[in-house]
Amino acid sequence: MGEVLAPPPSLRLRAPGVAAGAAVGDSVAIVGCCLTVTAVEGDELEFRAVPETLRRTMLGDLGRGDPVNLEPALRVGDRMAGHWVQGHVDAVGVVRSFEPDGEARTLTVDAPPEVLRTTIVKGSVCVAGVSLTVTDVDAAGFAVSLIPHTMAVTTLGRLEPGRRVNLEADVLGRYVERLLASGTLSA
C-alpha cells in the first residue's frame, strides 16, 4: 500500500515497497488505474493524471493521507499467481454493503452494465486494484468475499457503503463479449 502525499492531477505517493524498484516510465496501478511514473525521489513516486483519467476513475476523490493499493506491472518472466488484470478501469462502482461473514466479510458493489455484462459467479473482478473472485451477481451489482489477510494488506478492509471504487471487468469476459458482438465467434 501507499499513501497520497499530493492528490491528482499531480499525484504524489509515499510508496516505499514499490518505489525501491521503480523507474521513470514504469507503469504502476494505483487503486486499479495504471499510471506512468514521472518521478522517483527516495520512497516517493509521482504520476500525472490527465483529465480523461480523472473523468473515468475515482482518482479525483483521493485526498492527502488516503491509503491506496499499488501494483507494479508484471514483468516478462515473473510468476503469474492470480487473475489476469490490466490496470484499465472499466467503470466506477459504489460500495452497497460490507457485511461480516464469519471471519470474512462480504463486499457488495453496485456496478454499471458495462461491468455487469461480463461478471459471473466464480469469475474475477478487480475492485480498487485488487483482483477478487465473484461470489454473487444481481441486477445492480456483485459480491465478493474478503479474507482477513486481504483486508489487512489492502485498503478494502476500510471501505464503507457509498464509497466509490474503480472497477475492472474480467478481461477474458470482455474479449468473449467483443467476439460475440462482432460475429467472429458464435454462441
Side-chain angles (χ1 to χ4, degrees):
M1 278 195 297
E3 176 189 358
V4 175
L5 299 175
S10 292
L11 180 59
R12 190 164 189 82
L13 304 175
R14 180 175 292 112
V18 175
V24 171
D26 284 354
S27 294
V28 176
I30 302 158
V31 291
C33 179
C34 185
L35 295 177
T36 302
V37 176
T38 57
V40 180
E41 293 179 22
D43 67 352
E44 297 179 7
L45 296 173
E46 192 166 306
F47 306 85
R48 184 75 181 167
V50 297
E52 172 72 3
T53 301
L54 295 175
R55 280 191 297 273
R56 291 184 176 264
T57 71
M58 56 64 63
L59 288 180
D61 297 356
L62 296 174
R64 185 174 174 78
D66 284 346
V68 290
N69 298 320
L70 299 174
E71 184 77 30
L74 186 68
R75 298 181 193 281
V76 173
D78 283 355
R79 182 173 166 260
M80 177 73 175
H83 304 129
W84 287 95
V85 295
Q86 299 177 304
H88 300 165
V89 176
D90 292 306
V92 174
V94 177
V95 174
R96 180 190 313 166
S97 63
F98 195 40
E99 302 294 328
D101 184 15
E103 66 179 281
R105 289 191 69 135
T106 298
L107 172 66
T108 304
V109 177
D110 288 330
E114 60 265 32
V115 171
L116 288 178
R117 280 194 307 265
T118 60
T119 303
I120 61 169
V121 173
K122 302 299 179 206
S124 65
V125 67
C126 201
V127 178
V130 181
S131 185
L132 302 160
T133 301
V134 176
T135 59
D136 194 22
V137 180
D138 63 28
F142 61 86
V144 294
S145 184
L146 302 177
I147 63 171
H149 175 77
T150 301
M151 290 184 286
V153 300
T154 70
T155 63
L156 299 184
R158 298 176 173 101
L159 291 176
E160 296 178 357
R163 175 76 177 201
R164 291 173 9 112
V165 289
N166 288 331
L167 301 175
E168 180 179 337
D170 181 85
V171 66
L172 297 175
R174 289 195 325 250
Y175 282 115
V176 169
E177 177 184 50
R178 176 75 173 145
L179 288 170
L180 287 170
S182 72
T184 306
L185 187 68
S186 59

